Amino acid sequence: MSKVIKISFAVLLASLVFSLSIITAFAAKGELTVNEDATAKKGDTVTFTLNMGDCTEKLEGLQMQLMYDSEYLEVDEDSLDFPTMSGVVSNAKLDDIIPFTWTDVTNLADFAKKSPLVTVDFKVKKAGDTAITYFITEMYGSDVTYLKSFTLTNDIAINGKTVIKNATPIINENGALRNQYQGSFVNYKDGKGEKNGSGENHIAVTGVTEAASTAESAVDVSRGEDNTMTVVTVVSIIIVVLAIIAVVILRRHFTKKNGEE
């Protein structure tokens, strides 16, 4: 076998090995990415905790929603808990959303220091990319106007081990959902109030300034598995192209050799 043939087969073999390693890596990964930084596998338990602190006045009432994608996560209804408040009315039986409301004019909740507002467990159903988000409709103190100084953060644990701590929670920016749940409260992307928030991320997210889009789903998350399929498709095309190149090289070599004979 000539040097040209040996080189051609070596290049083709190396390319096939590299391509298969990429496919194997994607298949072996099998992980769900939650809120960009947390990764879990099918069957794992994801614990999401939304905290609040820095409140200059006590909380008297709120109406709020946690949003998730039931294609990727299954909520554990019994795990839903509100450690700092009692008598919260909630519904964890709905797909993609957990609404809850609370008010108590005699026992106001103190969030001057960071305390858990809500915590809930999810079971991972499949790999991909998803997010647990929130949207507040009403949140007010004793003066019955919305809270203007507060800080929201979230923690995420996988199978009991904390992997995300004090992160800025992701507010759901879906247009249709905002229009449905917008109240007098003003949500900001940085998770802070209008008086203690600042900087480029202190952007109001409301349901009044944008018309609802019927094309949007209630929970806006990216589909990580589509990206995986795209990579596999590209790799397959590369393999085919390399095979064609090898055949052309071999055909030219043997044609030239026969011509010389």
Side-chain angles (χ1 to χ4, degrees):
M1 186 177 290
S2 69
K3 184 177 181 180
V4 175
I5 296 176
K6 290 181 179 179
I7 294 175
S8 299
F9 273 110
V11 172
L12 179 60
L13 181 61
S15 301
L16 288 173
V17 171
F18 176 73
S19 301
L20 289 174
S21 67
I22 294 177
I23 296 176
T24 302
F26 271 89
K29 186 178 180 181
E31 294 180 335
L32 175 68
T33 300
V34 183
N35 288 30
E36 300 180 352
D37 294 319
T39 56
K41 295 181 180 180
K42 182 178 179 180
D44 284 350
T45 298
V46 177
T47 302
F48 179 85
T49 302
L50 183 66
N51 307 296
M52 186 164 71
D54 299 330
C55 289
T56 55
E57 58 181 306
K58 292 184 178 181
L59 181 68
E60 183 176 302
L62 83 162
Q63 179 184 343
M64 189 174 183
Q65 296 75 217
L66 287 184
M67 280 76 77
Y68 66 99
D69 192 338
S70 56
E71 181 179 350
Y72 295 95
L73 297 170
E74 179 181 357
V75 64
D76 179 357
E77 299 175 18
D78 295 331
S79 70
L80 184 62
D81 189 30
F82 306 90
T84 315
M85 302 174 293
S86 60
V88 177
V89 177
S90 61
N91 188 354
K93 298 182 182 297
L94 303 174
D95 288 337
D96 301 327
I97 188 168
I98 304 174
F100 55 93
T101 183
W102 170 86
T103 185
D104 192 331
V105 297
T106 58
N107 296 302
L108 279 63
D110 189 353
F111 287 96
K113 295 182 179 180
K114 189 184 80 169
S115 302
L117 185 66
V118 55
T119 181
V120 62
D121 292 343
F122 299 91
K123 188 72 69 176
V124 176
K125 298 170 69 174
K126 67 176 186 179
D129 190 358
T130 192
I132 302 170
T133 62
Y134 77 98
F135 194 86
I136 301 173
T137 301
E138 303 288 350
M139 189 162 69
Y140 52 90
S142 56
D143 63 355
V144 198
T145 63
Y146 62 86
L147 261 63
K148 299 175 179 63
S149 294
F150 59 88
T151 299
L152 295 172
T153 59
N154 74 251
D155 305 329
I156 294 179
I158 307 297
N159 296 328
K161 181 180 180 181
T162 301
V163 294
I164 293 179
K165 188 77 172 176
N166 295 326
T168 300
I170 302 174
I171 187 168
N172 195 295
E173 298 188 60
N174 178 274
L177 188 144
R178 280 187 286 165
N179 279 278
Q180 181 178 356
Y181 291 104
Q182 180 63 51
S184 61
F185 183 81
V186 180
N187 291 274
Y188 289 90
K189 293 186 72 170
D190 61 359
K192 294 179 180 291
E194 67 177 47
K195 287 190 175 181
N196 67 322
S198 62
E200 59 182 12
N201 290 325
H202 191 63
I203 303 170
V205 179
T206 68
V208 178
T209 58
E210 181 176 318
S213 171
T214 56
E216 291 180 299
S217 62
V219 180
D220 186 14
V221 295
S222 59
R223 308 295 182 182
E225 291 184 325
D226 293 342
N227 295 333
T228 300
M229 292 303 297
T230 300
V231 173
V232 173
T233 302
V234 171
V235 170
S236 301
I237 293 173
I238 293 174
I239 293 174
V240 173
V241 171
L242 289 172
I244 294 173
I245 293 174
V247 170
V248 171
I249 293 174
L250 291 173
R251 180 176 295 175
R252 288 182 178 178
H253 173 76
F254 283 113
T255 300
K256 181 178 181 181
K257 184 176 180 181
N258 293 334
E260 292 175 350
E261 293 176 351

